[in-house]
Amino acid sequence: MTHYPGYLKTYPNMHAPFPFHLGLHRLTNGFRAHRHDFLEFSFVVEGSGSETIDGVNHPMVPGTFTFILPYQVHELFTDPGSTLVLYNCNFGMDLLYETGMSGGFGELFAGLDDLPAYARLQGDAMEEMRGRIEEMYRETMSTERWRDTLLKAKLVETLVRFDRYRHQAEAAPGTGGAASPVRPPRSKSSAWAAIHYIHNNYQEELSLTDLAKRFSFSASRMSEVIKEATGQTFVRFVHDLRLRQAASLLVSTDMSVTDIVHEVGFGSYKTFIRMFKEAKGIAPTDYRKNKRGRPTAVRDAFPQGKESQL
């Protein structure tokens, strides 16, 4: 029986109008193997350790920038006697789709067989990246006008810079980039392409047969690919995405439940209500009242560590 590591389903501010969280963490005992359906980057500023992504390990030292895609299983290890200090950022895929850039960020997700998941920055490149992320971190504390717009712009720049660094490292090994690239198994690339498509089209009517044809799989193989990558069946995976978006809209907008049902792609109001109650243990209207009636709890994405400002 396949074992699936921990599945983290939430992060601070996940249901806010701007689904983004950036924290600074101190890890003395690493962090357990896990996966999630949102995007994540980390940047090491002190200490040493390592990280395993889909079974392949790479060092974590000052200047290491790692970009984690949804459903990639990853685990952090701290070297004995060291404290691994790193920025960790969680954000929703919608932030990239809303940038208005031609073609979106497909190139960040394409070619997974050919590009490493991390880059080790050194010298000026490391200092520039650290300064950029520290500025983002300060901006998260701000209440100034255009805060979210500025954070989104900085997020885009950060990811673009990372992508340039890893391409440069591939072109000229040993010049400060990734020394031993993390390359996912080849099947992961096909799985990600399908998952990326589902994330971008879950509001539409989706079927396993149509998805399989689009990516040149048999329906049975497409089902296996989705299950291997996410730990969920195709139907459960799509329903889960729709329910998460519905929960976000309930908290962050005044849309009626009926409008939300159609917005997230559920064809049946009754089915949505039943599945929402099963998932959340409460009716959608009560969920909205409860979430709006108390401050949003900010949970540390790394409970084994201690978030602090250096």
Side-chain angles (χ1 to χ4, degrees):
M1 181 177 179
T2 303
H3 171 68
Y4 296 104
Y7 188 9
L8 303 185
K9 296 187 175 183
T10 62
Y11 59 92
N13 304 325
M14 178 177 176
H15 294 313
F18 187 71
F20 175 94
H21 176 73
L22 176 61
L24 182 60
H25 306 273
R26 305 176 65 87
L27 302 180
T28 56
N29 298 305
F31 191 74
R32 67 186 184 279
H34 63 287
R35 60 194 171 91
H36 40 68
D37 62 6
F38 45 86
L39 294 163
E40 173 185 304
F41 78 71
S42 63
F43 181 74
V44 180
V45 294
E46 286 186 18
S48 63
S50 63
E51 181 176 31
T52 297
I53 303 174
D54 285 338
V56 184
N57 190 267
H58 71 90
M60 291 288 275
V61 295
T64 302
F65 186 104
T66 307
F67 183 48
I68 301 293
L69 300 173
Y71 310 105
Q72 287 186 311
V73 177
H74 49 294
E75 183 173 8
L76 284 164
F77 304 90
T78 304
D79 286 344
S82 182
T83 296
L84 193 60
V85 183
L86 72 165
Y87 286 99
N88 181 264
C89 182
N90 306 129
F91 56 98
M93 292 179 66
D94 287 349
L95 290 188
L96 300 188
Y97 296 142
E98 293 170 359
T99 60
M101 295 180 66
S102 177
F105 273 73
E107 288 190 15
L108 279 175
F109 309 134
L112 297 185
D113 298 324
D114 303 317
L115 290 171
Y118 78 101
R120 183 183 175 188
L121 312 183
Q122 298 178 331
D124 291 344
M126 179 175 68
E127 293 305 318
E128 288 171 1
M129 180 64 81
R130 177 167 182 166
R132 187 178 300 113
I133 294 174
E134 287 177 345
E135 189 174 355
M136 291 172 67
Y137 186 65
R138 290 192 295 271
E139 192 65 31
T140 62
M141 316 290 185
S142 171
T143 58
E144 294 284 338
R145 298 174 66 229
W146 305 102
R147 168 188 173 274
D148 293 353
T149 300
L150 190 56
L151 279 173
K152 184 183 293 186
K154 292 182 181 299
L155 173 62
V156 169
E157 182 181 4
T158 297
L159 295 179
V160 167
R161 294 289 183 184
F162 158 69
D163 195 49
R164 286 182 176 180
Y165 292 139
R166 64 177 176 175
H167 274 87
Q168 291 166 2
E170 286 289 280
T175 59
S180 53
V182 175
R183 303 182 189 283
R186 189 158 293 274
S187 62
K188 289 290 184 178
S189 180
S190 298
W192 171 248
I195 289 169
H196 183 220
Y197 180 82
I198 295 170
H199 267 273
N200 209 22
N201 295 276
Y202 66 85
Q203 300 97 329
E204 308 299 328
E205 184 176 345
L206 293 174
S207 74
L208 184 61
T209 300
D210 290 341
L211 190 70
K213 288 180 180 178
R214 175 176 289 274
F215 293 98
S216 301
F217 283 106
S218 67
S220 60
R221 180 53 186 154
M222 188 79 262
S223 178
E224 291 173 356
V225 166
I226 297 297
K227 184 65 181 292
E228 288 169 0
T230 70
Q232 297 175 294
T233 65
F234 167 74
V235 172
R236 182 69 260 177
F237 174 52
V238 174
H239 283 165
D240 200 35
L241 284 177
R242 290 170 174 169
L243 289 171
R244 290 173 193 280
Q245 179 64 8
S248 178
L249 292 174
L250 284 166
V251 175
S252 63
T253 75
D254 292 320
M255 293 173 65
S256 69
V257 175
T258 300
D259 287 342
I260 289 175
V261 169
H262 295 299
E263 175 68 20
V264 301
F266 272 98
S268 167
Y269 181 89
K270 289 184 178 179
T271 299
F272 168 75
I273 297 298
R274 175 177 58 80
M275 295 193 70
F276 192 93
K277 286 182 177 179
E278 290 175 357
K280 303 295 185 182
I282 193 173
T285 51
D286 293 330
Y287 180 87
R288 171 177 271 168
K289 290 177 183 177
N290 287 351
K291 289 293 183 180
R292 290 185 171 183
R294 67 175 187 272
T296 302
V298 176
R299 299 191 302 113
D300 194 338
F302 288 119
Q304 294 180 22
K306 179 181 178 183
E307 186 167 347
S308 63
Q309 190 167 359
L310 294 180

